[in-house]
Amino acid sequence: MVLRGFRRFRLFFSYFKDLVGQEVTVELKNDLAITGTLHSVDQYLNIKLENTRVVDQDKYPHMLSVRNCFIRGSVVRYVQLPPDGVDVDLLHDAARREARGG
Amino acid sequence: MSWAGPEDIYLSTSLASYLDRKILVLLRDGRKLMGTLRSFDQFANAVLEGACERVIVDEKYCDIPLGLYVIRGENVVLIGEMDTEREELPPHMIRVSETEIKRAQKVESEASELRGTMRKRMEFLDFD
C-alpha cells in the first residue's frame, strides 16, 4: 500500500531508477562525500553504491576497506550527477506534469 | 523516463546482500561500529553480532568489543560492506589500549571545546 505522501514524490524515485549504473557522488549531512556507481534506489531514496571511494579519504581512514555501501535516504544532503547524465528538459516536463497531478 | 509501476511499491534497496558479512555502520553521533550483519528490516534497524566500536583519534585507534547489538535504523548514516581482502586502515595507524584511546578522546574534546570558546569570544568582540 503506497501512502498518498509517497505517491506525490515518485518523480525523484523514478528519476534515480533511470540513473542506475551511472557514477554519482553522494554528499551526506555529516559532510562525508562518497563517489560510486549507483546500484539501486528505493522509495525512501535510500541509495546503494558500488565500487565506492571516499572523497578526502585521509579524513576517513575507517572507510578504507569499504567498496559497497548502503546509504540511508534521510542522511543525504546532495547527490552530484554527471552533467551530461541529466536530460533537464525531460525532468522539467515531468516535474510540471507531477505538479499538475498527472 | 520510466514511471513507477505497481511492482515498484515492493522495490527496495535490500541489505540482504550484506547478511552474514562484516560491515561497518556509521551512526549519526559519529560512532563507527563493526560486526557481522545478522538481521535487518525496512527501517534499516540492524542486528550486529560480534560488534565492536572502532574509536579513532588522529593516528591511534582501538576496537572496543560490544557483543550482540540491535541498532535502531534512525541512527544509521551508512552501512558499508568491508572487503576482507583489503586493509581496513592505513598502515601508519597505531593500535592502542582502551584506556589510552579514552584519554586521547578526552584531550581531543577538550581541545575542540577550547577552540569553540575562543571563537565565541572573538565573535563577541565582533571583528569586522
Side-chain angles (χ1 to χ4, degrees):
Chain A
M1 198 173 298
V2 178
L3 302 170
R4 264 221 95 221
F6 275 121
R7 179 162 289 144
R8 254 203 306 251
F9 302 118
R10 296 309 277 262
L11 177 84
F12 282 97
F13 173 35
S14 307
Y15 172 63
F16 279 128
K17 277 200 295 167
D18 286 342
L19 284 174
V20 165
Q22 299 234 30
E23 270 266 296
V24 298
T25 298
V26 182
E27 184 178 319
L28 308 180
K29 288 179 184 171
N30 66 357
D31 294 340
L32 174 64
I34 304 166
T35 307
T37 312
L38 185 63
H39 172 271
S40 56
V41 68
D42 67 13
Q43 53 175 322
Y44 305 107
L45 303 186
N46 294 329
I47 291 168
K48 241 181 157 187
L49 293 180
E50 299 218 314
N51 217 354
T52 58
R53 49 223 176 273
V54 170
V55 175
D56 203 1
Q57 175 78 66
D58 302 324
K59 210 172 158 212
Y60 305 99
H62 49 278
M63 295 286 298
L64 195 60
S65 70
V66 174
R67 282 292 167 273
N68 309 313
C69 65
F70 163 93
I71 301 169
R72 205 166 189 272
S74 59
V75 306
V76 173
R77 185 186 289 144
Y78 306 123
V79 178
Q80 293 160 19
L81 310 164
D84 48 353
V86 183
D87 187 334
V88 184
D89 295 324
L90 205 63
L91 196 61
H92 195 179
D93 291 339
R96 233 185 283 124
R97 250 178 292 140
E98 178 125 337
R100 224 185 298 136
Chain B
M1 186 160 306
S2 60
W3 289 99
E7 65 283 343
D8 292 313
I9 295 167
Y10 308 110
L11 188 80
S12 61
T13 309
S14 183
L15 285 168
S17 63
Y18 297 169
L19 273 177
D20 301 325
R21 304 251 176 111
K22 185 170 186 190
I23 56 164
L24 170 78
V25 184
L26 297 186
L27 300 180
R28 286 210 319 234
D29 62 6
R31 273 190 270 202
K32 310 156 197 68
L33 302 185
M34 289 161 18
T36 310
L37 182 68
R38 290 300 189 203
S39 187
F40 66 92
D41 68 6
Q42 72 269 35
F43 305 111
N45 294 326
V47 173
L48 224 57
E49 189 180 27
C52 64
E53 183 189 347
R54 178 156 281 170
V55 183
I56 298 175
V57 179
D58 299 324
E59 311 300 298
K60 304 192 202 75
Y61 77 97
C62 180
D63 294 341
I64 301 168
L66 302 168
L68 186 68
Y69 252 42
V70 177
I71 304 170
R72 189 178 160 89
E74 66 171 314
N75 300 291
V76 172
V77 167
L78 173 155
I79 296 179
E81 186 185 355
M82 295 181 81
D83 189 346
T84 45
E85 290 181 11
R86 290 183 185 266
E87 285 300 309
E88 285 182 4
L89 289 169
H92 61 86
M93 297 201 62
I94 311 159
R95 191 188 184 137
V96 299
S97 68
E98 193 171 329
T99 19
E100 199 179 330
I101 203 81
K102 292 230 158 99
R103 203 185 315 142
Q105 264 185 318
K106 192 158 177 280
V107 170
E108 193 192 44
S109 73
E110 279 167 7
S112 67
E113 217 183 293
L114 180 66
R115 277 196 297 271
T117 320
M118 284 179 71
R119 202 183 320 127
K120 277 193 212 123
R121 286 194 197 137
M122 300 285 270
E123 285 165 5
F124 177 76
L125 292 170
D126 197 27
F127 283 115
D128 277 319

